[in-house]
Amino acid sequence: MHIVLDDTAMTAAGQGNVLASRLIHRAHVEPGWFLYAPTCALVEADRARPGTAEHLAALPGITVLDLDLAAALALARQETWAAAHSQFAAQPTSDRPDGSIIATTAPKRWKGEPVRVLGLNT
């Protein structure tokens, strides 16, 4: 299971969202569970809730995704960097042929986008 945390999911995790916490726990203890934090979304989450980036980056079950050239080119075509980097990270790759699911507390943000969404609203 490959899951990309968008900025809203990261902020929710820092505020004790139960579903986000479960994802983090699973990624840490269960084989086959992977959580990704796109750098641009991490920056936005930290702006919304200072300390979020440092906290999430320190967790062993989360992989922080760098902003490489391919991601930067994808960002140029989108409205916000956080959403664009999350969407780019969720696209299929050789490592993840089915792509990833985007975890979010704002599922309406992703309506009409070519991504699968996991709502973290309780």
Side-chain angles (χ1 to χ4, degrees):
M1 180 68 60
H2 296 273
I3 299 174
V4 173
L5 299 172
D6 76 356
D7 56 308
T8 68
M10 293 180 204
T11 303
Q15 295 172 326
N17 179 289
V18 174
L19 298 176
S21 295
R22 285 181 187 163
L23 287 176
I24 292 167
H25 176 73
R26 280 194 149 166
H28 179 64
V29 300
E30 291 188 32
W33 279 78
F34 302 94
L35 280 185
Y36 303 98
T39 303
C40 293
L42 196 58
V43 169
E44 281 305 309
D46 200 70
R47 286 180 178 167
R49 188 171 190 281
T52 299
E54 186 175 356
H55 174 71
L56 288 175
L59 295 173
I62 296 180
T63 301
V64 176
L65 300 176
D66 294 332
L67 182 62
D68 60 11
L69 178 58
L73 294 173
L75 294 180
R77 292 182 233 122
Q78 298 292 329
E79 189 172 323
T80 70
W81 285 32
H85 201 185
S86 297
Q87 183 175 342
F88 177 79
Q91 299 307 306
T93 65
S94 59
D95 295 343
R96 301 179 306 273
D98 294 328
S100 300
I101 299 167
I102 294 182
T104 184
T105 61
K108 289 181 182 179
R109 167 197 275 182
W110 299 104
K111 186 174 182 172
E113 297 295 337
V115 295
R116 295 175 291 156
V117 174
L118 172 65
L120 299 180
N121 299 326
T122 53

